[in-house]
Amino acid sequence: MLERPYNHIFDAHWQLYQTILREDYMGHQSIYSVLKQFLTSYIESTPVAFLDIGSGDAQVIAEHIKDINITSYTAIDLSADALAFATHNLALLNCELELLNCDFVQGVTDLIETDRRFDIIFTGFALHHLSDSDKASMFKNLRQLLNNNGILLYIDVCRREGESRNEYLERYLAPTWSHWQALDDAQTELLNQHVRSSDFPATRSLLESMAVQAGFASCDCLLQDDEHANILLAMHG
Ligand SMILES: C[S@@+](CC[C@H](N)C(=O)[O-])C[C@H]1O[C@@H](n2cnc3c(N)ncnc32)[C@H](O)[C@@H]1O
């Protein structure tokens, strides 16, 4: 049984998330563009093994890595509905695909035991569902899953320095009522319940200190977008 809060918004309501992506309410387009630029310059001729933690339907990542030299793409996600869409979206990639429908903490532990290693580990808007101590353990486990010269690319929502979780929730959720107009009131209420019960974003400085504690050689901030409360970190293994 999962002990982490997770109210299955992504199982029954994937369409709601697709609307958020279509309207770019979470700022995917700008932060994934920076990710793409980074990957394009970082990955040269040798093809890479790519692991995506909390892939969802992989719609945005597939668009942004389709021209990158990838030998295999492995996704972990708890939502079977999202992975069903992912199969379709990932047809863009010309590589081996593996979709693992399980909890990402368990999935990562299982992969460590199989001795599988990856060149790029990516996670987008997913690890904020973990408590800070579970995020720190996850970073340690993900580092173990990296090949030499591998890199962890982390996109997620984040709190401002000194901002409490409650202050963050009020700031993040206010525009969902005033500006996210493609969602009806029932969808906005559902989204608010999900965020209030399941989102535990860290601050940038906390994430950076977790990266150091996990043994990463460096942690570079490639983008911090305060308007959308999101961040992109590159952690070198
Ligand atoms: C906000 S979506 C992010 C999807 C995509 N990566 C993106 O950047 O838009 C979060 C995803 O994390 C998945 N997720 C949340 N908790 C999980 C867990 N404990 N194990 C596996 N997947 C989980 C959800 O099912 C959902 O697909």
Side-chain angles (χ1 to χ4, degrees):
M1 261 314 254
L2 258 186
E3 286 170 11
R4 281 176 288 285
Y6 179 82
N7 66 8
H8 298 285
I9 190 173
F10 297 116
D11 283 333
H13 303 280
W14 195 257
Q15 198 195 356
L16 192 166
Y17 195 62
Q18 285 170 330
T19 305
I20 291 172
L21 295 182
R22 190 190 68 227
E23 302 292 328
D24 199 26
Y25 287 147
M26 290 171 63
H28 278 73
Q29 288 308 319
S30 52
I31 204 157
Y32 272 76
S33 297
V34 176
L35 176 85
K36 180 178 175 177
Q37 278 168 26
F38 176 84
L39 284 171
T40 307
S41 59
Y42 183 78
I43 299 173
E44 292 172 347
S45 51
T46 317
V48 293
F50 193 103
L51 173 64
D52 188 350
I53 309 290
S55 63
D57 67 7
Q59 182 190 138
V60 185
I61 192 68
E63 272 296 334
H64 287 81
I65 61 174
K66 65 177 189 242
D67 299 324
I68 287 164
N69 200 356
I70 291 174
T71 181
S72 65
Y73 171 94
T74 301
I76 304 181
D77 203 284
L78 202 52
S79 165
D81 285 8
L83 290 181
F85 286 111
T87 309
H88 171 76
N89 293 329
L90 290 163
L92 278 179
L93 305 187
N94 186 20
C95 70
E96 197 183 313
L97 300 177
E98 179 181 33
L99 306 184
L100 305 175
N101 184 201
C102 61
D103 174 42
F104 45 49
V105 173
Q106 188 60 50
V108 164
T109 308
D110 292 348
L111 283 171
I112 290 173
E113 284 170 9
T114 63
D115 282 343
R116 295 269 304 281
R117 295 298 176 260
F118 299 87
D119 304 299
I120 306 284
I121 302 181
F122 167 68
T123 180
F125 295 107
L127 295 190
H128 62 273
H129 292 310
L130 296 176
S131 67
D132 287 342
S133 66
D134 286 349
K135 283 187 205 76
S137 306
M138 178 61 100
F139 281 11
K140 285 185 185 148
N141 287 343
L142 293 178
R143 186 169 168 267
Q144 279 196 61
L145 273 181
L146 282 174
N147 280 325
N148 286 343
N149 298 322
I151 193 156
L152 170 61
L153 291 162
Y154 175 95
I155 288 179
D156 212 344
V157 283
C158 84
R159 281 187 288 122
R160 289 175 182 155
E161 301 302 323
E163 185 177 49
S164 69
R165 178 171 181 265
N166 278 344
E167 287 164 343
Y168 163 85
L169 291 173
E170 297 316 316
R171 173 168 71 96
Y172 193 81
L173 292 172
T176 68
W177 293 105
S178 56
H179 287 86
W180 295 25
Q181 284 163 359
L183 302 182
D184 63 28
D185 282 358
Q187 289 176 315
T188 307
E189 182 53 39
L190 190 68
L191 173 75
N192 274 248
Q193 282 171 20
H194 166 75
V195 170
R196 286 185 190 282
S197 65
S198 307
D199 286 15
F200 301 89
T203 59
R204 171 177 168 179
S205 61
L206 193 52
L207 292 165
E208 287 169 341
S209 70
M210 287 176 193
V212 171
Q213 277 164 27
F216 285 98
S218 63
C219 176
D220 301 322
C221 180
L222 305 184
L223 184 72
Q224 185 159 12
D225 172 355
D226 192 57
E227 182 195 343
H228 294 100
N230 65 31
I231 195 164
L232 168 55
L233 299 173
M235 305 178 203
H236 296 261

